[in-house]
Amino acid sequence: MNYNFDLKEDVLVLSLEGDLIGEDSGADLMDKISGYVQEGVRLCVVDISELRYINSSGIGVLITILTKFRNKGGEVCLLKPSESVQKLLIITKLNAIFSVVDTEEEAFENLKSA
């Protein structure tokens, strides 16, 4: 899995690409996210449009990201899930926990009003 961070208007945009299966890069990813949260970043968009596959460990990574931000009074929004990832979010009922949107603009609007 590959990932990139971009800070736009005090919102962390995390782009995930490949397979989110909670492998070794998961710990490194969480360390970096913790750093942003400790610096005061409270809002996060997770762009999952390029995720091919996600397993239960990957779901755990998303939930951990959400927990880290919500524990500091923040919020997380998932951006553009593929059809297969969207189905998984529905089956696991995570679509009721996460805000899921189709555009970055919509994500920013949701987060700023949260």
Side-chain angles (χ1 to χ4, degrees):
M1 175 187 69
N2 296 315
Y3 57 86
N4 289 316
F5 291 101
D6 191 12
L7 200 55
K8 298 179 183 178
E9 304 172 30
D10 296 326
V11 176
L12 180 64
V13 179
L14 167 61
S15 301
L16 302 176
E17 182 181 333
D19 299 331
L20 182 55
I21 55 175
E23 74 277 5
D24 294 340
S25 61
D28 183 50
L29 174 64
M30 297 317 302
D31 286 345
K32 289 182 178 167
I33 287 173
S34 293
Y36 281 104
V37 170
Q38 288 173 355
E39 290 173 13
V41 176
R42 298 288 176 258
L43 304 174
C44 181
V45 175
V46 182
D47 183 347
I48 56 175
S49 61
E50 298 298 320
L51 276 185
R52 290 183 308 242
Y53 175 77
I54 183 170
N55 69 2
S56 59
S57 294
I59 289 171
V61 168
L62 292 178
I63 292 171
T64 302
I65 292 169
L66 180 66
T67 302
K68 283 187 179 293
F69 280 94
R70 284 194 177 165
N71 283 346
K72 295 294 186 179
E75 191 55 66
V76 174
C77 191
L78 299 180
L79 177 62
K80 294 187 272 187
S82 67
E83 188 176 335
S84 62
V85 172
Q86 178 70 36
K87 286 179 184 176
L88 182 66
L89 293 172
I90 292 168
I91 289 168
T92 58
K93 302 200 183 308
L94 289 175
N95 61 326
I97 296 171
F98 285 97
S99 175
V100 182
V101 297
D102 292 324
T103 67
E104 192 172 280
E105 294 79 20
E106 194 178 348
F108 275 63
E109 285 174 22
N110 280 5
L111 291 172
K112 297 289 185 175
S113 66

